[in-house]
Amino acid sequence: MNPLLESIFSPEFGYAILRVMTPLLFPAIGVAFSELAGTINIALEGVMLMSAFTGVIVSTYTGSLWLALVCGIAAGLLMASILAYFHLRLKANIILGAVALNMFASGMTIFLLFIITGDKGSTSSLASLVFPELEIPLLTSIPILGPIISGHNVLTYAAILSVAFFYVVIFRTPLGLRIRAVGQNPHAAESVGINVNRIRWYALLLSGFFGALGGLYLSMGYVSWFSRDMTAGRGFIAVAAATLGGNLPLGTFLASLFFGFVNSIAIYIAAINIPSELIQLIPYAVTIIALAVYSVRAARRKRKRVDAESAPEGSA
Amino acid sequence: MERFVLKNFTLIRTVIAILLGVAISIILIVVISNSPGYSLKQFFLGQLLSRSRLGNIIEFATPVIFTGIGIAIAFQARQFNIGAEGAFYLSAAVATAFAVSTSMPAILHIPAILIVAALTGALYGLIPGILKAKLHASELVASLMMNYVAYFLGLYLINYHFRDKDAGFLVSFRLPETAWLGQLVRGTRLHYGIFFALIAALLAYYFLYHTRLGYEIRTTGNNQSFARFGGINVVKIIILSQMIGGAVAGVGGMNEVMGIHHRFNWQLSPGYGWAGVVVAIIGRNHPLLIVPAALFLSYMNVGGQVLNLMSDVPSELVAVIQAVIIILITANAFLKQWKDRITIRQAEREEGVHEPAS
Amino acid sequence: MQNILEVKDLLKVYPDGTIANREISVAVEENTIHAVVGENGAGKSTLMKMIFGIEQPQEGRIFYRGTETEIRNPHHAISLGIGMVHQHLMLAPDLSVAENMVLGVEPLRRTLFLDSDRMVRVTEQISTENGLAVPARKKIRDLPIGVKQRVEILKALFRNAELLILDEPTAVLTPQETEQLFKTLFYLKENGKTILFISHKLREVKQIADRVTVMRDSRIVTTCDAEGLTEDDIAYLMVGREISHDRIPTGDAPGEVKLSVRDLSYVDDDGLPLLKQINFDVRAGEILGLAGVEGNGQTPLINALTGLLSGTKGEIKVTGESIAAMSPRTIRERGLSHVPEDRMENGVADVATLEENFIVDRYFKPRFSRWGRLLWRIISEHSRDLIKRFNVLARSSKTVVGSLSGGNIQKVVVARELSSDPTVIIAAQPTRGIDIGSEELVHNLLKEARDEGKAIFLVSADLDEVLKLSTRVIVIYDGEIVKHFETTDGVTGPDLGPYMLGVKREEGAGGTIRP
């Protein structure tokens, strides 16, 4: 058999997909939360960096995974709060605000990295911790699927559970109903006494929370160190994944899985004699194509809405 | 005084944002540095201490003026295309390939190379442009992805086809001398490219505010459905604004290769595209304001480098301050209460001047 | 009787310096229908916003049930027992009726989760109690406008509103739906509710109000019993002068056909037929009115006529030439001009200057540009001329349009569209939401244009306007022309109503073309 095909049909490849998907799925869920509330958060790149960095540093100096988790999440929430404050209170354009925050995070993490380690590259000199891998007995014993889905990092399982969490919050809780209402017609929500800014603030915090988990996984699971700009655009790919998934739980999950697949295949193809640059650009190119395909569908749906709803409500 | 504040409110807010950014940098340096006085002096005045550093200010501002204008032209059409980074990189790579493969007298070579760079940037802008105009795909996401595509494509082109294997580094062949932009001042890396940047700023200003196409771009940005209603072909304008933006950023990329390094030597994307976003915001998308904005940013960056060399404070401080400044400038409500108080006071004084609104 | 609400000496200045309300004092008696009337810009909406807590007054006091209260926000207003039905309905389109109903006060299951069953039950209950039928499980976007408004009223009642504020509720309703709404309001009054009703339709005010407050120029002119007040009295108080209700007399016999539409059909991407076999002609020197409830195909029709919609079938001719496959600009070049339905959406770029707005359809002409360069000096001159001719109240041609009042913005649009020397004018909702003074000006301009021999196609949701201006009227329902009135003499709103609602139709109206 062709060695490439052999690799793709191996359980290791399936395992790799889930592994590569994890740091995309977390932020994708985060983006989806923010987009449903009508305030798209493209600062998850920065959120992930800050959390990845905070997690490594805290685990190094306290030796506590729990503290690293808590502080990493706190860093993400803080970043999201800054964005929320500037967008919701000070009326900054959320995209430009996010560009600023991403720049801030990139600069700040390297700045602090240098202050702490004297190195601007990575924390490989530090003895930081990683989150454990879980062997779930029941999963391991499943034929074929077993090796693919068992033995993952605890955060990988958390990411998959987050999809369910996302579904429950959005469709089964008052907060989710309010997030959807605020995204669809903020004036409607406001008119029944819902504090629109507060709901958007919650949605942005949720996005920061999931972005933080994605960042923690990157530096304390995917690899075991922090390196400068290590997110490598995942916060942006998450935007594409959420958009592709229609900001819905299953859709976002499948889109992230798809991006995980494309990324993994790029890694595998690199083993054969093809220039790695060309392989590395594949996921980005595929994202652009997927974006185009999805936009055709979305545009069609939107056009229907515009024509059917020529009455003036919601235009205020 | 109050009238002056109301009239120049955005300008005043920009200045205050910059001052706040500077204040934060002072605080950070004081907190971090072991010799804060020395470090502060290096950061704020170190730029002026040598001819080469002064040259560095203009040297760094040059590419940023290009990318800032490229971003601003797209932003004026309200296209959130932040792909200047990729346009800059890919155009430089492609035009380098062209330059090392051709030979002609300088008078022809330089324009020909710049045209290749512009065309590359324009083609690059065409993709998110078409996706947006025809399919309503977010140009923001598309241009973000395009940055990566351009980076890997440019890298592939140089490393696999135009690599100078004798150089010892991963760099392209050296450009023929007919493609060099001459040195301007001895002891600096200043080159004639700065004039190209200034000309680009003037042309962009004239283009946006005094030509039909410029009017079409601004009107499309101000209200797209109004532009469509008035007969402007907004599909064309959306695509063109991103192509022109890409072309300007692309010329900036090659201008840099021809003026400074004389070969393509970026294994990492140099980040001028993001700096362009910063100066477009500080300069409020106005080409003539982008020039001082780029010089300001450059002054800060050179200060950061001096700081890095001469003291114990890392240069990334500058990225942090830039972020602070642009987030404050984009915060429309920042200082608005102050403005509102003045407005209301004025209105109460000259009651009845305005028509009541429902 | 007791006052449920009383306000004293309110002053409201907006951050842009506009004084919207001053010396506002009024009392609303419990268990009455209290109308607030006034021209657009008189300050009615601002007053309501302060009562509902959306805006806060700079000065003055508000008493609710005799107690002085500072109404901090809408949430606070709701908890006091104040409910509001906004002009633009406040519903989330992709949520169901029941979800919209309980939004903000959701019934819970196991303390954390939404109780969907109870959501539907309470919706059905409140709907039955008040005799206002709504489909609880349907998505808002699938409902007709009258039903959506019912949901809005029920939402307020569900939150125990005692005082119900309605902001121009009839603006989007058919005469029949309006009647239905009035029955509901009487029913609510009988059940002890108080209704504060904003309108500028005097007939409606006469029909249902017990008390009337008249506002003008951000002040209250008077508050009195509706009994014994005539429409003319109110009109006089509102504008401080008599206004004519008379129909503008039709001009000379219309000339040749300038705009002709044949078998125009349009099916959207999802297969919904939005326009069906539409036929009509507009001749030089006449105004053809198009009546219909909004959302029955007017928007795609206008867009098809002006080149903003592609994919239609059939034929449209402007001055005898088919405009199929022409761009909006080319169609304008053939002599068509267009006053759009929504001036802020299509009519102007509000962040741009007056002169930039005036030239959008002509900047490329030799008079205004040479070799791709704009001749700003000539453009400014031209703009100043238009400002003067059309009586636009603005400091200079470099003023930003967004700083003008609605009426003046509409004048900017009309000035541009009438000054391009058009042959055919599409005038959609030409006076929507503007003050009576500007309305009269626009009406007179249209009449002048008609007398000059322009062919005018008037699309308006305001039946009075259609009947007042039109030479002939056609009625659109569900994308079809269902009635054609050869003249507007003796035709009244209720004559049109059954056609607009699809209750009646004239067979072959769409095919009946004036000989």
Side-chain angles (χ1 to χ4, degrees):
Chain A
M1 202 154 109
N2 178 315
L4 174 64
L5 285 181
E6 207 167 291
S7 322
I8 287 176
F9 286 111
S10 69
E12 288 80 15
F13 184 70
Y15 182 90
I17 292 175
L18 291 183
R19 183 172 168 274
V20 173
M21 173 200 74
T22 307
L24 297 176
L25 179 55
F26 273 130
I29 291 173
V31 171
F33 265 116
S34 69
E35 239 186 310
L36 282 173
T39 46
I40 185 169
N41 183 355
I42 65 157
L44 288 185
E45 187 78 2
V47 168
M48 289 168 80
L49 273 177
M50 287 298 252
S51 297
F53 178 76
T54 309
V56 164
I57 296 300
V58 171
S59 77
T60 304
Y61 289 98
T62 67
S64 160
L65 259 189
W66 286 111
L67 263 180
L69 180 70
V70 168
C71 294
I73 289 172
L77 294 181
L78 181 68
M79 288 286 284
S81 303
I82 295 173
L83 184 65
Y85 179 77
F86 273 91
H87 175 56
L88 300 173
R89 286 290 295 279
L90 296 184
K91 307 289 171 216
N93 177 306
I94 195 163
I95 289 167
L96 299 181
V99 168
L101 273 185
N102 289 334
M103 198 177 286
F104 175 81
S106 169
M108 200 59 168
T109 47
I110 301 170
F111 184 79
L112 294 175
L113 184 64
F114 179 77
I115 302 272
I116 294 171
T117 67
D119 181 352
K120 282 190 178 182
S122 78
T123 62
S124 47
S125 63
L126 300 180
S128 60
L129 306 179
V130 293
F131 289 98
E133 288 176 352
L134 280 193
E135 291 289 345
I136 303 173
L138 226 67
L139 290 184
T140 323
S141 57
I142 303 175
I144 306 170
L145 271 182
I148 296 176
I149 59 175
S150 70
H152 279 283
N153 191 288
V154 60
L155 286 178
T156 298
Y157 297 113
I160 291 165
L161 286 180
S162 297
V163 178
F165 174 80
F166 177 35
Y167 172 82
V168 170
V169 169
I170 282 300
F171 291 109
R172 292 281 176 261
T173 69
L175 178 64
L177 182 66
R178 290 172 188 194
I179 285 177
R180 285 183 289 147
V182 163
Q184 288 170 26
N185 185 352
H187 303 289
E190 199 177 2
S191 76
V192 293
I194 289 175
N195 186 333
V196 171
N197 273 0
R198 185 182 299 161
I199 297 296
R200 290 193 159 150
W201 202 299
Y202 290 153
L204 285 173
L205 283 179
L206 279 164
S207 78
F209 175 78
F210 286 105
L213 289 178
L216 285 169
Y217 173 76
L218 265 187
S219 64
M220 302 176 68
Y222 194 74
V223 294
S224 57
W225 59 81
F226 175 87
S227 60
R228 60 184 295 164
D229 296 319
M230 75 184 304
T231 41
R234 287 185 178 84
F236 297 134
I237 296 179
V239 174
T243 311
L244 192 64
N247 299 316
L248 297 171
L250 189 62
T252 304
F253 176 59
L254 292 178
S256 303
L257 202 60
F258 165 70
F259 286 120
F261 171 77
V262 176
N263 272 302
S264 312
I265 217 167
I267 296 169
Y268 270 71
I269 291 177
I272 322 167
N273 205 7
I274 299 178
S276 67
E277 287 87 351
L278 289 186
I279 288 141
Q280 278 171 289
L281 70 76
I282 289 171
Y284 303 101
V286 167
T287 304
I288 293 174
I289 294 164
L291 184 71
V293 171
Y294 180 76
S295 299
V296 173
R297 280 171 40 211
R300 226 174 257 157
R301 222 179 316 151
K302 194 169 177 187
R303 220 170 300 152
K304 170 190 174 185
R305 210 175 294 164
V306 170
D307 287 342
E309 290 267 318
S310 42
E313 79 271 18
S315 61
Chain B
M1 171 62 195
E2 290 194 338
R3 278 187 179 283
F4 175 81
V5 170
L6 286 186
K7 224 177 155 192
N8 299 294
F9 183 68
T10 44
L11 176 72
I12 290 171
R13 203 177 57 193
T14 305
V15 170
I16 292 178
I18 290 172
L19 291 178
L20 272 174
V22 169
I24 290 173
S25 64
I26 294 174
I27 294 171
L28 279 177
I29 291 174
V30 168
V31 168
I32 283 157
S33 178
N34 289 323
S35 48
Y38 177 75
S39 299
L40 281 174
K41 194 177 140 215
Q42 291 300 327
F43 183 52
F44 287 108
L45 300 172
Q47 299 94 329
L48 308 172
L49 293 180
S50 81
R51 188 195 284 188
S52 81
R53 287 183 194 162
L54 279 171
N56 284 345
I57 296 173
I58 294 175
E59 180 198 323
F60 177 82
T62 305
V64 179
I65 291 171
F66 279 109
T67 52
I69 291 169
I71 292 273
I73 289 174
F75 276 15
Q76 285 255 17
R78 200 164 290 175
Q79 298 303 306
F80 274 108
N81 183 319
I82 42 184
E85 184 78 22
F88 187 93
Y89 192 85
L90 184 63
S91 298
V94 172
T96 298
F98 173 79
V100 300
S101 322
T102 52
S103 72
M104 45 183 114
I107 189 94
L108 291 178
H109 210 187
I110 290 171
I113 293 167
L114 289 180
I115 287 170
V116 169
L119 286 177
T120 309
L123 278 177
Y124 170 89
L126 178 68
I127 294 172
I130 283 189
L131 290 181
K132 174 65 181 295
K134 301 277 188 193
L135 306 178
H136 306 282
S138 157
E139 76 282 11
L140 175 79
V141 179
S143 63
L144 275 173
M145 297 300 127
M146 286 293 289
N147 281 338
Y148 294 100
V149 174
Y151 168 63
F152 289 118
L153 215 53
L155 209 54
Y156 165 74
L157 188 67
I158 296 301
N159 288 356
Y160 279 81
H161 298 286
F162 294 92
R163 181 178 163 196
D164 185 351
K165 295 198 175 66
D166 302 329
F169 300 101
L170 278 166
V171 293
S172 76
F173 296 112
R174 186 180 285 271
L175 301 188
E177 289 200 20
T178 50
W180 293 15
L181 298 177
Q183 192 188 38
L184 213 55
V185 182
R186 270 179 182 287
T188 70
R189 294 204 293 180
L190 266 193
H191 56 92
Y192 287 106
I194 180 64
F195 296 121
F196 290 154
L198 295 177
I199 290 167
L202 284 172
L203 284 179
Y205 162 75
Y206 189 80
F207 169 69
L208 281 171
Y209 293 93
H210 290 277
T211 69
R212 265 154 46 174
L213 189 53
Y215 171 80
E216 290 170 338
I217 286 177
R218 288 185 301 116
T219 303
T220 301
N222 287 338
N223 180 349
Q224 192 175 312
S225 33
F226 169 66
R228 204 162 94 90
F229 158 91
I232 293 173
N233 185 344
V234 298
V235 168
K236 184 183 94 183
I237 295 302
I238 288 172
I239 296 173
L240 272 182
S241 66
Q242 300 187 50
M243 288 180 74
I244 296 170
V248 176
V251 169
M254 194 54 198
N255 188 60
E256 195 67 359
V257 172
M258 292 157 79
I260 306 258
H261 313 291
H262 305 137
R263 55 169 88 206
F264 188 97
N265 69 342
W266 294 308
Q267 287 295 307
L268 284 173
S269 198
Y272 293 126
W274 293 106
V277 176
V278 175
V279 299
I281 294 171
I282 297 179
R284 301 215 157 252
N285 299 329
H286 193 294
L288 297 185
L289 294 177
I290 282 173
V291 174
L295 285 170
F296 164 73
L297 188 72
S298 182
Y299 189 85
M300 298 282 282
N301 268 314
V302 173
Q305 283 162 13
V306 175
L307 201 59
N308 215 30
L309 279 176
M310 311 294 290
S311 81
D312 47 359
V313 183
S315 59
E316 275 71 21
L317 172 72
V318 176
V320 174
I321 296 161
Q322 277 173 31
V324 170
I325 291 173
I326 64 171
I327 205 170
L328 286 176
I329 290 177
T330 57
N332 283 320
F334 174 54
L335 298 180
K336 190 167 171 293
Q337 286 189 332
W338 178 50
K339 181 192 178 193
D340 288 351
R341 269 203 302 278
I342 298 176
T343 316
I344 289 172
R345 242 194 337 258
Q346 291 255 333
E348 280 172 347
R349 209 173 295 155
E350 44 187 290
E351 190 178 325
V353 170
H354 290 261
E355 279 178 77
S358 63
Chain C
M1 224 185 290
Q2 204 193 335
N3 290 336
I4 187 165
L5 177 85
E6 190 172 2
V7 301
K8 281 187 181 156
D9 298 322
L10 296 185
L11 169 73
K12 176 66 193 177
V13 185
Y14 280 111
D16 66 356
T18 311
I19 298 169
N21 273 187
R22 59 188 121 191
E23 296 160 33
I24 298 290
S25 297
V26 65
V28 180
E29 283 173 26
E30 189 158 10
N31 212 356
T32 58
I33 297 182
H34 190 126
V36 177
V37 299
E39 288 189 74
N40 285 96
K44 309 180 297 276
S45 296
T46 301
L47 176 57
M48 296 308 134
K49 281 179 186 167
M50 289 192 288
I51 295 173
F52 195 58
I54 299 171
E55 300 282 352
Q56 271 66 41
Q58 263 82 19
E59 287 169 23
R61 302 194 288 172
I62 299 176
F63 297 86
Y64 189 75
R65 292 196 182 283
T67 323
E68 182 166 356
T69 315
E70 188 190 326
I71 303 175
R72 293 183 299 272
N73 52 45
H75 195 56
H76 185 203
I78 292 167
S79 68
L80 288 170
I82 303 174
M84 183 151 178
V85 175
H86 298 261
Q87 195 174 2
H88 299 290
L89 296 182
M90 297 292 179
L91 299 164
D94 279 322
L95 301 186
S96 71
V97 169
E99 283 174 318
N100 270 285
M101 188 67 63
V102 301
L103 192 61
V105 285
E106 302 87 355
L108 296 184
R109 192 161 48 86
R110 279 180 282 154
T111 63
L112 274 182
F113 302 102
L114 291 171
D115 189 337
S116 318
D117 294 338
R118 214 160 90 218
M119 236 161 26
V120 172
R121 269 205 316 279
V122 295
T123 303
E124 280 164 354
Q125 189 187 342
I126 193 93
S127 147
T128 331
E129 273 172 18
N130 292 284
L132 288 169
V134 291
R137 288 173 201 275
K138 269 205 172 169
K139 272 191 185 178
I140 292 294
R141 74 161 67 260
D142 299 329
L143 302 177
I145 186 95
V147 180
K148 288 180 192 168
Q149 196 177 56
R150 243 178 268 164
V151 176
E152 277 282 47
I153 295 174
L154 286 174
K155 262 171 66 187
L157 296 174
F158 179 65
R159 288 165 176 75
N160 302 314
E162 296 290 326
L163 171 63
L164 196 60
I165 303 171
L166 292 106
D167 188 359
E168 297 193 24
T170 59
V172 290
L173 301 183
T174 61
Q176 282 72 12
E177 281 176 322
T178 303
E179 282 308 313
Q180 180 67 38
L181 172 70
F182 287 173
K183 274 187 202 147
T184 306
L185 296 184
F186 282 127
Y187 177 85
L188 294 175
K189 184 180 123 183
E190 275 166 33
N191 285 279
K193 310 280 183 194
T194 309
I195 286 146
L196 198 51
F197 176 95
I198 301 182
S199 182
H200 51 198
K201 294 188 184 166
L202 308 185
R203 201 178 330 114
E204 294 174 355
V205 172
K206 268 303 289 171
Q207 198 180 338
I208 66 162
D210 301 309
R211 300 268 295 168
V212 179
T213 292
V214 183
M215 292 186 73
R216 181 172 75 218
D217 195 15
S218 69
R219 296 170 205 270
I220 286 184
V221 182
T222 183
T223 299
C224 56
D225 283 333
E227 193 80 52
L229 213 57
T230 68
E231 281 181 46
D232 285 336
D233 293 338
I234 305 174
Y236 182 80
L237 290 168
M238 273 168 65
V239 295
R241 64 194 138 86
E242 302 271 3
I243 51 163
S244 78
H245 288 291
D246 297 338
R247 187 155 291 168
I248 293 175
T250 43
D252 299 336
E256 55 183 297
V257 173
K258 293 295 182 190
L259 171 69
S260 97
V261 175
R262 289 290 174 278
D263 297 326
L264 182 68
S265 298
Y266 175 63
V267 181
D268 76 358
D269 291 343
D270 297 290
L272 290 176
L274 298 183
L275 297 175
K276 302 168 190 161
Q277 297 285 317
I278 289 186
N279 287 290
F280 63 84
D281 285 337
V282 188
R283 290 164 180 266
E286 75 165 353
I287 299 178
L288 176 67
L290 179 71
V293 178
E294 279 184 81
N296 273 288
Q298 292 93 327
T299 305
L301 175 58
I302 295 165
N303 287 345
L305 294 178
T306 50
L308 296 169
L309 180 72
S310 55
T312 54
K313 283 208 193 86
E315 191 179 50
I316 302 169
K317 281 184 176 171
V318 174
T319 58
E321 199 180 349
S322 168
I323 63 161
M326 280 190 194
S327 70
R329 167 147 316 158
T330 320
I331 297 171
R332 281 176 173 274
E333 293 296 277
R334 296 293 183 278
L336 182 130
S337 81
H338 174 196
V339 178
E341 286 183 281
D342 182 337
R343 66 178 158 270
M344 299 317 284
E345 172 82 13
N346 291 315
V348 292
D350 61 345
V351 292
T353 62
L354 280 166
E355 49 192 44
E356 286 171 328
N357 274 283
F358 278 133
I359 58 167
V360 73
D361 64 336
R362 61 197 68 164
Y363 63 93
F364 52 89
K365 295 195 169 162
R367 188 180 156 201
F368 300 108
S369 76
R370 199 162 299 145
W371 301 105
R373 173 180 147 243
L374 293 175
L375 307 171
W376 279 115
R377 203 174 49 75
I378 292 166
I379 292 168
S380 300
E381 255 169 47
H382 175 66
S383 304
R384 282 195 293 273
D385 178 50
L386 289 181
I387 290 170
K388 217 157 82 194
R389 259 171 60 205
F390 290 86
N391 200 17
V392 182
L393 289 181
R395 288 211 180 109
S396 86
S397 65
K398 303 242 186 310
T399 302
V400 171
V401 163
S403 68
L404 304 182
S405 71
N408 276 302
I409 294 176
Q410 187 70 354
K411 282 187 220 163
V412 171
V413 176
V414 170
R416 183 184 59 229
E417 298 303 326
L418 294 188
S419 62
S420 63
D421 191 27
T423 315
V424 177
I425 301 166
I426 311 289
Q429 321 293 357
T431 61
R432 168 173 284 171
I434 65 176
D435 57 281
I436 291 186
S438 307
E439 180 179 319
E440 267 193 69
L441 178 81
V442 171
H443 283 173
N444 286 333
L445 287 168
L446 286 175
K447 177 177 151 257
E448 271 168 35
R450 179 201 67 195
D451 291 343
E452 284 167 16
K454 319 280 191 205
I456 301 174
F457 184 51
L458 170 71
V459 181
S460 176
D462 181 349
L463 287 187
D464 288 338
E465 178 170 78
V466 171
L467 292 172
K468 181 175 164 191
L469 290 177
S470 304
T471 319
R472 298 179 292 129
V473 173
I474 51 179
V475 183
I476 192 166
Y477 172 75
D478 197 17
E480 252 179 307
I481 302 298
V482 292
K483 177 65 184 174
H484 180 183
F485 291 96
E486 276 296 332
T487 169
T488 50
D489 284 337
V491 180
T492 60
D495 293 335
L496 295 175
Y499 295 101
M500 290 165 59
L501 275 173
V503 177
K504 272 165 83 177
R505 57 179 294 147
E506 181 180 64
E507 279 316 314
T512 316
I513 298 142
R514 223 171 90 106

